[in-house]
Amino acid sequence: MRERLGSGPRIVRTLFTAIVVLGLPIAIALPGDLNGKVYASGAVALVAAAAAILAAALVRRRKGPSDAHRVAAPRSAQDDPSGTGRWSLELLRRLEWRRFEELCAAYFNALGFTTTQARSGAEGGADICLVAEGADQPSSVLQCKGWNVHTVGIKPVRELRAAMAAAGVPQGVLVACGTLTSEAKEFSRGENIELIDGAELLRKIGALAPQQGQALLKLATAGDFSTPTCPACGIKMTARTSSTEGRKFWGCLNYPRCKRTFFGASNAPA
């Protein structure tokens, strides 16, 4: 009993002491015989102990979750200033299109699928065929919309439906780092297409075994994960500034032989 009270906060010990100090004189003074005084003193000690234990339990319950969150948040911010130590929507949207695509493929690999690239897009992106474990033919086509695509409308979903028909597969999956419009969702319902937005992707990664989630995080954040890859040359692009408008954009290192560029308000060069 003494050990339990001694480990509690100061307010609990103070409460116990106050009840004993105030209650004992009354307990000794009121009864007429010695036995009564002993019983009354014991009762005061029991009441004090019970009150202290109850107070300690209430203090622990009140402090638990909120204090843990309040203490952990600053520590996380200090230990992880780059924001790459854990998954977040902000981190997901920082991934350049090729890295986001690699992340999505690795996620389906973790589910047991084999992934093969079927077609590269002119502006980045590809049709990725998903082959279920033990199967010989793909069952789904995967398309990824990452980086500076924060809202995905119906056009990419229509393009995925065309890719499914070209590949001869009955199902499609579109993964976006951002959100999906209601029009895109409505169209997908009748075309056997699963839409996964950024928040849902993070929930799905969180449902994996911890070591699998950490492996995906390591893959996503290795090296330079934010500078876009040139879709034509397969190399990292470089920051450039328009000579006419002064606008910053990403351009291929092989310019003028390769004139691929990327403009994006949220992922523009610093």
Side-chain angles (χ1 to χ4, degrees):
M1 179 73 72
R2 189 182 302 111
E3 181 181 350
R4 183 171 183 177
L5 290 175
S7 62
R10 180 179 300 176
I11 188 172
V12 175
R13 296 195 296 272
T14 302
L15 177 62
F16 176 80
T17 303
I19 294 176
V20 171
V21 170
L22 295 175
L24 279 179
I26 299 174
I28 294 173
L30 289 180
D33 59 346
L34 181 60
N35 287 338
K37 294 179 185 295
V38 171
Y39 290 145
S41 299
V44 170
L46 288 175
V47 170
I53 292 172
L54 178 60
L58 291 174
V59 169
R60 282 196 300 271
R61 181 178 180 183
R62 186 179 58 195
K63 288 178 64 176
S66 59
D67 280 15
H69 177 75
R70 179 173 53 82
V71 172
R75 200 162 51 232
S76 174
Q78 292 171 3
D79 295 345
D80 184 29
S82 65
T84 60
R86 61 177 181 174
W87 285 112
S88 67
L89 278 175
E90 181 183 358
L91 173 60
L92 201 63
R93 292 170 182 176
R94 288 169 60 192
L95 303 182
E96 59 113 350
W97 68 270
R98 173 66 62 80
R99 188 63 63 88
F100 183 73
E101 195 172 85
E102 292 171 349
L103 168 66
C104 294
Y107 167 74
F108 282 97
N109 288 154
L111 296 183
F113 289 92
T114 300
T115 56
T116 58
Q117 183 170 315
R119 180 189 64 85
S120 295
E123 298 300 328
D127 297 335
I128 301 174
C129 290
L130 302 179
V131 183
E133 188 173 3
D136 297 326
Q137 300 296 324
S139 58
S140 300
V141 172
L142 167 67
Q143 285 191 351
C144 311
K145 298 297 179 184
W147 201 45
N148 61 346
V149 184
H150 289 330
T151 303
V152 176
I154 193 172
K155 181 181 177 181
V157 188
R158 291 185 185 276
E159 292 173 349
L160 174 55
R161 182 66 188 88
M164 291 162 54
V169 299
Q171 299 175 333
V173 182
L174 191 148
V175 184
C177 70
T179 58
L180 298 145
T181 65
S182 57
E183 189 180 23
K185 294 177 182 178
E186 183 64 28
F187 179 82
S188 70
R189 293 189 185 101
E191 300 296 339
N192 206 20
I193 295 174
E194 179 183 6
L195 301 182
I196 302 174
D197 63 14
E200 180 64 18
L201 178 60
L202 292 184
R203 283 193 290 269
K204 288 179 177 294
I205 292 175
L208 296 173
Q211 62 271 23
Q212 291 177 311
Q214 284 300 312
L216 291 179
L217 180 61
K218 185 176 180 180
L219 166 71
T221 58
D224 182 358
F225 60 85
S226 59
T227 301
T229 302
C230 175
C233 304
I235 59 175
K236 289 291 184 180
M237 305 178 89
T238 187
R240 300 189 186 280
T241 304
S242 170
S243 58
T244 57
E245 302 176 356
R247 184 181 179 188
K248 292 184 177 181
F249 64 96
W250 297 105
C252 184
L253 284 170
N254 290 330
Y255 179 86
R257 181 166 56 86
C258 178
K259 297 182 180 180
R260 294 294 176 87
T261 59
F262 276 127
F263 289 85
S266 58
N267 297 85

